[in-house]
Amino acid sequence: MAWGDLLGYGGRIAEAQFNPLDARAKSSIKRMRDFHRIVAEHSNRNFRTLVINDGVAVFRDLSLRSSSVSHDFLMRSWELFEAINQHEARASQPGIRMVVACGFRIRGRKAVIETDHGKVNSILKRYQDGFLTVDQAIREASTARPSFDAVPQLQANFAFTKAYVAESSGTGGGFAGPNFFLDTSLLKKTDTEWPVGGKAFDWEHNTLGLKSEFMRIEHLSPEKYTNEASSRLKTGLEVAQTLAGDNDVLEALRRARKN
């Protein structure tokens, strides 16, 4: 899970008194639109994103048996971070801070919103009754929006909680400037040459009881995943074992699902 936030955005909008018609807000609005465009360009079915104003959440479930997904997600997150900050630098903007964190999430059932089925049924009925052409029906269906929406992968997602709270702690929490921070729970070792980064540091949020070890990544070469033996990143199972402090974490999760 990754969370990134544009630095200084709120302050700039506040200067314009949160009025988009104020001339001082124009650069911030353009900045946000450019940010959304870059995120969209880097998003795909294996790298799903959700933008919320000046922030972006990126999510993917790790593979229990292979670290290839870990590699792919980390590299894509770094590439997104670099693309945004390069654009920000050209526009003389403060940049983005991004935090990649590991954590469990609770899987839930996909909600069925009956009220939204009525919209589809209405389109079908009007088409069958001859009030809509095929082209009109398709266009109306393509622009229909649900009255309720949620991203299931972000509900009860404790990696999201950790990444968001850690990034929000800012310089006081050890997360200074437009930098990229990685939860070392994803790494097999923190004293290797890849990824290149600063010294690992402990972070803790006393009120929420959240804590983890992070390191600031200074450079992440485009190293390709080859095999498990050479991998410097953990599989999803190894991450789960680290987080739970239990090598039999899968059995513990199975028991929890039955209760």
Side-chain angles (χ1 to χ4, degrees):
M1 174 73 215
W3 170 255
D5 186 61
L6 292 180
L7 300 178
Y9 180 83
R12 297 284 177 85
I13 288 292
E15 290 174 1
Q17 298 180 329
F18 300 96
N19 180 3
L21 301 179
D22 190 305
R24 292 170 295 181
K26 288 184 178 180
S27 63
S28 293
I29 294 171
K30 182 181 184 305
R31 183 188 182 197
M32 183 177 67
R33 288 175 175 167
D34 288 345
F35 166 61
H36 289 185
R37 174 182 53 78
I38 296 171
V39 172
E41 291 171 351
H42 284 75
S43 303
N44 59 47
R45 66 185 183 88
N46 291 321
F47 193 71
R48 298 184 182 276
T49 62
L50 173 69
V51 290
I52 308 172
N53 290 327
D54 59 320
V56 58
V58 191
F59 46 93
R60 189 174 181 184
D61 291 337
L62 300 182
S63 167
L64 289 178
R65 301 301 177 187
S66 172
S67 61
S68 61
V69 175
S70 307
H71 275 268
D72 185 69
F73 183 79
L74 180 58
M75 289 307 309
R76 289 179 187 272
S77 298
W78 174 260
E79 289 166 3
L80 174 60
F81 166 80
E82 286 277 86
I84 294 171
N85 268 349
Q86 288 170 8
H87 178 82
E88 287 271 298
R90 290 193 294 270
S92 299
Q93 297 288 2
I96 189 172
R97 178 164 56 230
M98 184 171 286
V99 175
V100 173
C102 302
F104 295 104
R105 77 175 179 90
I106 299 174
R107 290 188 173 184
R109 294 180 180 177
K110 190 174 182 180
V112 177
I113 311 303
E114 297 294 338
T115 54
D116 292 325
H117 290 179
K119 298 176 184 178
V120 176
N121 292 335
S122 172
I123 294 171
L124 290 174
K125 187 176 188 306
R126 282 180 286 140
Y127 166 69
Q128 292 167 352
D129 292 344
F131 293 108
L132 293 177
T133 65
V134 172
D135 184 66
Q136 288 172 329
I138 292 173
R139 288 179 181 276
E140 187 170 336
S142 68
T143 58
R145 293 292 181 267
S147 54
F148 170 85
D149 201 2
V151 178
Q153 296 90 337
L154 296 181
Q155 312 312 310
N157 184 323
F158 305 122
F160 184 20
T161 302
K162 186 196 295 185
Y164 180 86
V165 174
E167 191 281 323
S168 299
S169 67
T171 303
F175 301 86
N179 292 303
F180 187 99
F181 297 89
L182 175 64
D183 183 344
T184 61
S185 298
L186 194 63
L187 299 173
K188 289 183 176 178
K189 296 180 180 180
T190 58
D191 57 351
T192 62
E193 297 180 355
W194 187 95
V196 178
K199 184 178 179 181
F201 63 92
D202 291 323
W203 170 80
E204 183 173 2
H205 191 285
N206 294 326
T207 304
L208 298 177
L210 287 170
K211 59 183 178 180
S212 192
E213 183 182 71
F214 286 92
M215 66 183 297
R216 179 170 61 86
I217 303 303
E218 300 171 356
H219 179 66
L220 195 61
S221 60
E223 179 171 297
K224 300 297 183 182
Y225 170 82
T226 53
N227 55 60
E228 292 301 319
S230 64
S231 175
R232 294 179 173 92
L233 301 181
K234 295 177 182 177
T235 64
L237 176 57
E238 290 169 333
V239 171
Q241 290 170 334
T242 299
L243 295 174
D246 183 0
N247 287 334
D248 295 325
V249 63
L250 287 184
E251 181 58 33
L253 289 172
R254 291 190 187 101
R255 291 197 301 270
R257 289 189 67 182
K258 293 178 180 178
N259 297 331

